């Protein structure tokens, strides 16, 4: 029993136990993860601007309310096209020698998941306005505003990025609101958050508890037409953030779809072009991204969105067919997603 009476033995045994546990519980699993997980082949490294934005994202506490993980449950399909896998996080490195990075996967989803926000919402104008005052674009939002990321200038320069803020959210400011470099870096990081496609031939992780849905291509009525998906739901996930639930947009920021000549035009060609290619012809509003291409919308989905917009909020225009939209998509020279 001399072991228990000898402090050298006791402290030596405690040290060996500590080192053994550290090796077994922390070091070996970390080496295994490092050796067995790598970024996906098509993964894009963060740009310098996005890397700086990541640090602002962490410093401003965004990780407290937003996750970056798509769970393998059907309800998470809203946030990404597939469940997250370990390779999605393999390129996240330490901040520096002394500091580990924040837990970007998040632990609480008070706000929406952001792992694919760069695809879901690619508009920099929307992100900047949302940072300045989230209620300007989402009236029910509980996210805090970040006005300190913007400066007021009476005479902004050519290089300044001026944000279009509706009058009711300007807080009596008379000058132009200009995004700071910190705001631009943060937006660059948010725009970089895109789910990387899996390599060809790789089994796609499955979502659990799938709800039964009818085949949107089930033939109905006219054999040349197909049943369209829910246009209102597609509008909510692809368009509503900017153009608002009432279709009235935001004055000085995003145009109204209600009573819009483009939306109601008998010839839908320009309407389809705007959805697929984006729009930047009106300096009074922010740039519209190429929603159709970015979100890989099929002709059926585009037709459903258009029909919802053409028949809602008092609008009354003829409905378009998926075949009509597909023909226009082919004419404008853009590949139709399959």
């Amino acid at each position: 029993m001399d072991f228990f009476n000898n402090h050298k033995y006791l402290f030596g045994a405690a040290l060996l136990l500590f080192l053994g546990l550290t090796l077994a519980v922390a070091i070996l699993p970390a080496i295994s993860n490092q050796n067995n997980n790598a970024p996906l082949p098509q993964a894009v490294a963060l740009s310098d601007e996005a890397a700086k934005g990541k640090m602002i994202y962490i410093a401003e506490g965004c990780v407290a309310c937003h996750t970056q993980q798509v769970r393998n449950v059907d309800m998470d399909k809203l946030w990404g096209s597939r469940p997250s896998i370990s390779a999605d996080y393999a390129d996240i490195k330490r901040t520096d020698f002394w500091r580990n990075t924040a837990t970007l996967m998040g632990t609480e989803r008070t706000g929406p998941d952001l792992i694919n926000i760069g695809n879901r919402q690619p508009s920099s104008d929307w992100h900047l306005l949302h940072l300045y005052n989230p209620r300007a674009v989402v009236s029910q939002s509980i996210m805090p505003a970040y006005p300190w990321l913007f400066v007021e200038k009476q005479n902004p320069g050519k290089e300044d990025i001026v944000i279009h803020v509706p009058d009711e959210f300007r807080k009596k400011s008379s000058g132009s609101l200009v995004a700071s470099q910190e705001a631009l870096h943060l937006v660059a990081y948010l725009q970089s958050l895109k789910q990387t496609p899996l390599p060809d031939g790789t089994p796609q992780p499955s979502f659990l508890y799938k709800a039964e849905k009818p085949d949107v291509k089930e033939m109905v009525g006219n054999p040349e037409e197909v049943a369209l998906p829910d246009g209102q739901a597609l509008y909510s996930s692809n368009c509503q953030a900017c153009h608002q639930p009432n279709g009235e947009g935001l004055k000085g920021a995003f145009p109204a779809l209600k009573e819009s000549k483009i939306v109601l035009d008998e010839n839908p060609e320009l309407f389809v072009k705007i959805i697929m290619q984006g729009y930047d012809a009106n300096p009074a509003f922010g740039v519209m991204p190429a929603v159709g291409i970015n979100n890989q919308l099929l002709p059926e989905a585009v037709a459903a969105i258009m029909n919802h917009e053409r028949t809602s909020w008092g609008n009354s225009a003829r409905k378009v067919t998926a075949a009509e939209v597909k023909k226009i998509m082919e004419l404008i020279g853009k590949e139709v997603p399959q």
Side-chain angles (χ1 to χ4, degrees):
M1 301 296 292
D2 188 53
F3 174 83
F4 295 101
N5 296 320
N6 190 316
H7 71 279
K8 293 182 179 180
Y9 291 160
L10 287 173
F11 283 109
L15 177 61
L16 289 175
L17 179 62
F18 172 78
L19 293 176
L21 289 174
T22 301
L23 183 67
V25 175
I27 297 177
L28 291 179
I31 294 174
S32 176
N33 283 337
Q34 183 174 318
N35 292 336
N36 296 322
N37 292 294
L40 292 167
Q42 298 183 51
V44 179
L46 292 180
S47 65
D48 291 341
E49 291 77 14
K52 293 176 182 177
K54 173 185 169 183
M55 300 306 299
I56 297 169
Y57 179 89
I58 295 169
E60 294 292 350
C62 305
V63 293
C65 296
H66 294 283
T67 57
Q68 290 185 32
Q69 54 176 305
V70 179
R71 300 171 300 174
N72 63 339
V73 291
D74 195 60
M75 64 184 293
D76 270 25
K77 279 186 175 180
L78 178 64
W79 311 123
S81 59
R82 60 168 175 80
S84 298
I85 58 177
S86 57
D88 292 326
Y89 310 98
D91 202 32
I92 297 178
K93 309 295 184 184
R94 296 182 64 86
T95 300
D96 53 39
F97 180 80
W98 300 107
R99 295 179 297 168
N100 199 356
T101 191
T103 306
L104 298 176
M105 290 179 66
T107 57
E108 182 177 334
R109 193 176 285 170
T110 303
D113 186 271
L114 300 179
I115 197 170
N116 201 37
I117 189 63
N119 284 324
R120 293 204 324 268
Q121 183 50 269
S123 171
S124 60
D125 294 276
W126 186 91
H127 282 296
L128 290 170
L129 180 56
H130 185 243
L131 287 172
Y132 179 75
N133 191 326
R135 264 66 60 192
V137 289
V138 183
S139 59
Q140 299 87 4
S141 176
I142 60 172
M143 172 177 157
Y146 295 87
W148 54 86
L149 294 177
F150 302 85
V151 294
E152 183 177 341
K153 291 186 178 181
Q154 296 299 326
N155 298 298
K158 293 182 179 180
E159 302 299 323
D160 288 330
I161 305 298
V162 178
I163 62 170
H164 303 279
V165 181
D167 293 339
E168 60 266 35
F169 297 102
R170 290 183 60 85
K171 297 183 179 179
K172 299 181 180 180
S173 59
S174 58
S176 298
L177 287 166
V178 175
S180 66
Q181 284 300 312
E182 289 80 5
L184 296 176
H185 290 157
L186 179 52
V187 170
Y189 174 65
L190 294 173
Q191 291 178 312
S192 75
L193 296 177
K194 301 178 181 180
Q195 265 196 322
T196 304
L198 297 180
D200 293 340
T202 303
Q204 187 88 354
S206 299
F207 286 97
L208 305 178
Y209 316 116
K210 294 182 179 179
E212 291 294 330
K213 296 180 180 179
D215 184 356
V216 300
K217 294 189 176 182
E218 180 182 350
M219 304 301 289
V220 295
N222 186 335
E224 294 184 357
E225 296 183 3
V226 297
L228 299 179
D230 187 341
Q232 182 175 0
L234 287 167
Y235 175 83
S236 297
S237 59
N238 293 280
C239 317
Q240 182 172 292
C242 294
H243 297 292
Q244 301 299 291
N246 58 10
E248 295 180 2
L250 291 171
K251 186 178 180 180
F254 307 112
L257 302 178
K258 180 180 179 180
E259 300 178 355
S260 166
K261 293 181 179 180
I262 294 176
V263 172
L264 298 174
D265 196 334
E266 176 67 20
N267 183 353
E269 183 175 348
L270 178 57
F271 196 2
V272 175
K273 283 184 177 179
I274 290 174
I275 293 175
M276 299 306 298
Q277 298 178 322
Y279 195 65
D280 188 21
N282 192 337
F285 298 109
V287 178
M288 174 175 168
V291 174
I293 295 298
N294 292 339
N295 295 352
Q296 297 185 321
L297 297 179
L298 297 170
E300 293 82 4
V302 175
I305 292 172
M306 292 175 64
N307 289 338
H308 173 71
E309 296 176 0
R310 288 164 71 88
T311 59
S312 300
W313 320 301
N315 289 348
S316 180
R318 72 172 182 86
K319 292 185 176 182
V320 299
T321 65
E324 188 177 3
V325 171
K326 182 176 181 179
K327 183 177 180 180
I328 295 173
M329 290 167 68
E330 292 171 344
L331 286 175
I332 63 178
K334 290 296 180 182
E335 181 182 355
V336 179
Q338 300 296 326

